[in-house]
Amino acid sequence: MFSRFNSLPRCRALHTAAHSAPFPKRTHSCGQLSPKDAGSRVVLTGWLLPERKGKSLSFYPLKDSSGITQLTVNHEANPSASETLSSINIESAVLIQGTVSLRPEYAQRPGPTGQIDVEVDKVTLLNPASDLPFVPSNVHNLPSEDLRARYRFLDLRRTALSNNIKTRSRVSHIVRSTLHSQGFTEVETPVLLRSSPEGAREFLVPTRQSHQNDPSEPLFYALQQSPQQPKQLLICSGAVDKYFQIAKCFRDEDGRKDRQPEFTQVDLEMAFVSWGNPHSPQAAASPASEQDQLWNIGGHEVREVIEDLIRKIWLDVKGIELPQNFNVMTYYDAMTRFGSDKPDTRFGLEIISISDLLSGLQRLPAAASTEEILECIVVRKSHEAEFVNASRTLEHEAEYFALTKGSVDSWLLKSRLARSIYLDLGPDHQAVVNEALQLQPGDHIFLAQRPRSPTGGSTELGRVRLGIFESAQQKGDFVATEQPHFLWVTEFPLFTHDDSDKDFLAQGRWSSSHHPFTAPMWQDIDALYKGDIEHVRGQHYDLVLNGVEIGGGSVRIHDADMQDRIFTQVLQLSDREKAPFNHLLQALRCGAPPHGGIALGFDRLMAILCETPSIRDVIAFPKTSGGTDLLFRSPASVDEKTLVQYGIQPIQNSRK
């Protein structure tokens, strides 16, 4: 059967041995030469790309990690070099000795080396490429992602990926230099910790040690989900006032395009951060901006550090000046206006509450008891024409009306959802809603109902909103602005029953929306102690960029009694579950300062900066979406003799 890989260059008989002898030191990289080097003798190294042959000259691109230089070789003037180059397989590693020449003006091209060539005098084959599963330089004929993952060492030779890796290094340097200049101390924390019920599934690491009271019981480490406890303990110690780390973290989560079992985060923690809005008491002395006034929780010191860091990264990497302060929105507003706890604010289509327009209308008993509300998204033909086609073809679960002259005055009366909530809907109510929504024939309307107090990460109309946006982009009807839209989302519910990722640990109990160390808003402490758990908000803040969460943090609990109460009475942890936190409780009782921090998802941040949809494109050696590594063939089985050393016995197959 014919395969496109049958067209790969075959290995030639000549020059098949690697050069294992001294050779000249290179003088320049392939992306370094310019017209000022014309006439200079140079030594270049790199990978040879396909020949473009003329009558008297042949042209060969030579590539290294810095760029590409075009080589020229004259068939008659230098037949030896010409013959050698033509016999070498593409993607082979070569050393070139030659002279820099200025191209004729008509042949010059934009780019770092587009004005010069290197006239080849001598060629040394350093190592032939004799077994290529694919040609990385042929970007128009790349194989599947799985095949490229299996040969990642070859895939990384592609310019797009190598540029991403270098950009990642550049941003790491900006992070370190910026935080060092602000008095932060970089501290490495342990990766091998103890298993604890902090939220996500953990990776366990077996040891050859056993329990002192039961030698048959093996002991395990857990790879850190984050440096959460170590960094809090570090701040509690007083040894470091401002900590940061570019930390490797591990979570045994289902694979997605923006998740990996091992990932990197920019992690920081600060002592003596504020509780509540610091601008309120001093408003007369130092007027706060509108966004400062919306930040009604503590941790404004963390916010200032992160906004400064993000501004520097975007200016350096993208050349974009970001505003001095990022917008702030509460979780409640995000969910009610956009149907998401990480709203993309680059486009409109805001959700509107129909129930607020019908506030005086009597409800059916079932709807009244559950406090269900009716809400809608309107796609107006006159104002949002770019979303109309997407609205017609979108697959969704909401109730939908395409308004015509015949239905514009009756759609609400025919609505299944409206009739399940309200008694005695009449034409007057229809007219009130139509006037408020300014509906016209040709408009599209999506309806859904939900509890008045939003929960979880998205609503039905929030998913519809994103679906319309993504569909309109795919159809080419809408192009999102290139200006990044950063947004802080604050005042999340402190506890939740609506996080499927934590159900395996919660088992019907409350779980922490963020983690169990997040402090409540001071206004809700009474509700916490009275047991009104669902109405307690946390001093938790997420940083969102274009609808993607790129970081999250909080003010921490520094009151040991409050922390113990949350462990015991709210989360209902058993003594065994609470044991991994005993040292933290002790540290809080030793004069721990108010503190807070944040972690930025470095992989997601880099994917956005490099404009790629997958974080795997910004990680040198990533896992697949299923969590496997096709290059290193991991995870892999281990023989029984090795397992015995760790006190582990394979489960026997009962059918054998």
Side-chain angles (χ1 to χ4, degrees):
M1 182 177 178
F2 178 77
S3 167
R4 60 180 174 177
F5 303 113
N6 291 341
S7 61
L8 294 178
R10 296 181 179 178
C11 183
R12 298 183 176 91
L14 298 176
H15 306 291
T16 57
H19 183 84
S20 299
F23 53 85
K25 178 182 177 181
R26 71 175 175 182
T27 60
H28 299 77
S29 65
C30 291
Q32 189 177 359
L33 297 174
S34 67
K36 64 181 175 55
D37 297 303
S40 301
R41 294 275 302 165
V42 296
V43 178
L44 302 178
T45 55
W47 289 270
L48 195 67
L49 301 187
E51 173 186 15
R52 182 167 57 87
K53 195 167 187 176
K55 287 185 178 180
S56 59
L57 293 175
S58 282
F59 303 90
Y60 295 87
L62 183 69
K63 179 184 185 299
D64 66 11
S65 65
S66 70
I68 294 176
T69 291
Q70 180 170 268
L71 310 176
T72 63
V73 60
N74 190 300
H75 303 153
E76 295 182 1
N78 195 343
S80 174
S82 177
E83 182 181 350
T84 300
L85 279 171
S86 66
S87 68
I88 295 175
N89 294 330
I90 64 168
E91 298 289 347
S92 295
V94 298
L95 180 142
I96 301 295
Q97 299 176 63
T99 304
V100 180
S101 64
L102 195 62
R103 290 186 190 179
E105 189 170 341
Y106 67 85
Q108 293 182 6
R109 299 289 183 269
T113 60
Q115 296 173 281
I116 58 95
D117 292 327
V118 171
E119 297 174 355
V120 177
D121 297 330
K122 186 177 179 181
V123 181
T124 302
L125 175 61
L126 298 176
N127 201 5
S130 56
D131 189 16
L132 288 177
F134 66 94
V135 180
S137 57
N138 187 354
V139 296
H140 301 295
N141 192 28
L142 291 174
S144 68
E145 185 175 354
D146 280 355
L147 182 63
R148 286 185 283 118
R150 196 186 314 166
Y151 299 98
R152 184 67 170 185
F153 52 84
L154 192 59
D155 198 30
L156 282 169
R157 202 175 291 178
R158 289 194 291 130
T159 300
L161 289 186
S162 63
N163 284 348
N164 289 350
I165 299 303
K166 284 183 280 190
T167 301
R168 185 183 179 108
S169 174
R170 180 175 163 190
V171 174
S172 295
H173 177 72
I174 296 171
V175 169
R176 285 192 164 94
S177 60
T178 299
L179 294 180
H180 276 301
S181 70
Q182 295 192 23
F184 281 80
T185 303
E186 184 171 10
V187 181
E188 296 176 356
T189 56
V191 172
L192 295 173
L193 294 170
R194 177 178 177 173
S195 177
S196 64
E198 291 184 34
R201 294 183 188 271
E202 300 167 312
F203 283 104
L204 298 179
V205 180
T207 74
R208 289 183 291 111
Q209 303 175 42
S210 58
H211 198 283
Q212 60 181 1
N213 297 327
D214 184 359
S216 66
E217 182 180 346
L219 299 179
F220 296 84
Y221 292 111
L223 295 180
Q224 66 172 359
Q225 299 180 39
S226 76
Q228 188 61 46
Q229 287 195 66
K231 70 176 181 179
Q232 283 193 241
L233 293 168
L234 188 67
I235 296 299
C236 290
S237 74
V240 173
D241 189 70
K242 299 177 182 178
Y243 142 94
F244 89 95
Q245 179 182 189
I246 299 180
K248 185 70 78 174
C249 304
F250 307 86
R251 291 179 188 169
D252 189 7
E253 297 178 317
D254 295 333
R256 300 179 191 171
K257 69 178 181 179
D258 62 345
R259 283 187 180 179
Q260 289 272 287
E262 55 178 313
F263 58 95
T264 306
Q265 63 186 35
V266 178
D267 197 60
L268 60 89
E269 195 81 5
M270 302 173 68
F272 299 104
V273 301
S274 61
W275 265 57
N277 189 334
H279 298 283
S280 299
Q282 302 92 358
S286 56
S289 70
E290 179 183 352
Q291 297 306 317
D292 285 335
Q293 292 173 358
L294 293 172
W295 186 278
N296 291 314
I297 58 176
H300 77 99
E301 299 90 346
V302 177
R303 174 191 173 194
E304 290 171 357
V305 168
I306 291 300
E307 288 183 349
D308 179 63
L309 176 61
I310 293 294
R311 281 196 302 270
K312 288 181 178 177
I313 291 172
W314 247 256
L315 184 60
D316 186 283
V317 177
K318 308 295 283 186
I320 295 176
E321 289 194 22
L322 298 177
Q324 188 68 22
N325 294 116
F326 300 162
N327 289 338
V328 179
M329 184 182 297
T330 65
Y331 167 85
Y332 179 85
D333 283 345
M335 292 290 287
T336 54
R337 291 174 56 192
F338 300 100
S340 172
D341 64 355
K342 43 183 180 294
D344 191 336
T345 56
R346 292 176 296 172
F347 64 103
L349 299 181
E350 288 197 28
I351 298 168
I352 303 168
S353 172
I354 293 179
S355 290
D356 289 347
L357 303 176
L358 301 174
S359 57
L361 187 60
Q362 186 178 358
R363 291 167 168 263
L364 290 166
S369 63
T370 58
E371 294 191 15
E372 292 285 310
I373 66 168
L374 184 66
E375 57 185 9
C376 70
I377 286 178
V378 180
V379 181
R380 294 176 174 83
K381 185 177 180 181
S382 58
H383 296 94
E384 292 144 340
E386 63 271 26
F387 295 119
V388 169
N389 287 336
S391 300
R392 290 194 186 103
T393 58
L394 182 71
E395 294 184 7
H396 59 88
E397 297 180 0
E399 190 173 17
Y400 167 73
F401 294 94
L403 300 184
T404 63
K405 289 182 180 179
S407 66
V408 71
D409 292 326
S410 61
W411 63 270
L412 184 64
L413 305 179
K414 296 177 181 179
S415 165
R416 171 182 53 84
L417 292 178
R419 287 185 283 110
S420 71
I421 297 176
Y422 295 104
L423 282 170
D424 302 325
L425 271 175
D428 291 344
H429 304 114
Q430 176 77 77
V432 167
V433 172
N434 278 9
E435 183 178 358
L437 300 182
Q438 299 181 339
L439 297 179
Q440 299 291 333
D443 293 345
H444 298 253
I445 187 165
F446 297 84
L447 295 174
Q449 64 184 79
R450 64 166 177 83
R452 182 170 292 278
S453 295
T455 60
S458 65
T459 66
E460 190 170 316
L461 287 188
R463 294 185 286 275
V464 167
R465 179 178 180 269
L466 275 182
I468 295 172
F469 167 67
E470 291 168 357
S471 178
Q473 284 193 306
Q474 291 170 1
K475 294 175 182 292
D477 295 338
F478 180 76
V479 178
T481 176
E482 294 183 1
Q483 187 68 21
H485 280 224
F486 285 93
L487 175 71
W488 290 104
V489 180
T490 64
E491 301 183 33
F492 286 78
L494 191 55
F495 306 103
T496 182
H497 282 304
D498 292 305
D499 190 338
S500 58
D501 288 341
K502 298 176 181 178
D503 284 346
F504 75 100
L505 280 174
Q507 297 178 350
R509 299 171 293 183
W510 286 104
S511 59
S512 299
S513 298
H514 187 210
H515 56 52
F517 317 116
T518 300
M521 291 183 66
W522 68 267
Q523 299 95 324
D524 296 344
I525 291 176
D526 284 346
L528 173 67
Y529 282 91
K530 289 176 181 177
D532 188 10
I533 305 303
E534 64 181 319
H535 293 120
V536 179
R537 297 163 297 169
Q539 297 194 59
H540 173 193
Y541 33 82
D542 276 356
L543 182 58
V544 176
L545 170 58
N546 299 343
V548 177
E549 178 198 333
I550 61 170
S554 67
V555 176
R556 321 302 187 190
I557 299 168
H558 63 282
D559 180 337
D561 291 337
M562 179 186 292
Q563 183 69 82
D564 194 25
R565 184 184 184 92
I566 286 174
F567 286 153
T568 305
Q569 298 189 26
V570 179
L571 303 179
Q572 299 178 351
L573 301 184
S574 65
D575 289 342
R576 183 183 180 92
E577 290 173 318
K578 201 170 75 170
F581 307 120
N582 286 340
H583 52 271
L584 177 62
L585 291 173
Q586 180 63 37
L588 297 180
R589 292 190 175 97
C590 293
H595 56 287
I598 194 171
L600 297 178
F602 195 51
D603 304 314
R604 292 183 188 178
L605 185 68
M606 291 311 308
I608 293 172
L609 282 168
C610 295
E611 300 178 11
T612 178
S614 172
I615 62 173
R616 291 190 288 278
D617 290 337
V618 296
I619 300 171
F621 296 101
K623 306 291 188 289
T624 67
S625 59
T628 60
D629 191 318
L630 300 180
L631 173 61
F632 295 102
R633 303 290 198 271
S634 65
S637 60
V638 177
D639 64 72
E640 287 192 34
K641 290 182 179 180
T642 302
L643 292 177
V644 168
Q645 299 177 41
Y646 296 95
I648 300 173
Q649 182 177 346
I651 298 174
Q652 299 299 320
N653 191 329
S654 60
R655 290 178 294 180
K656 288 186 178 179

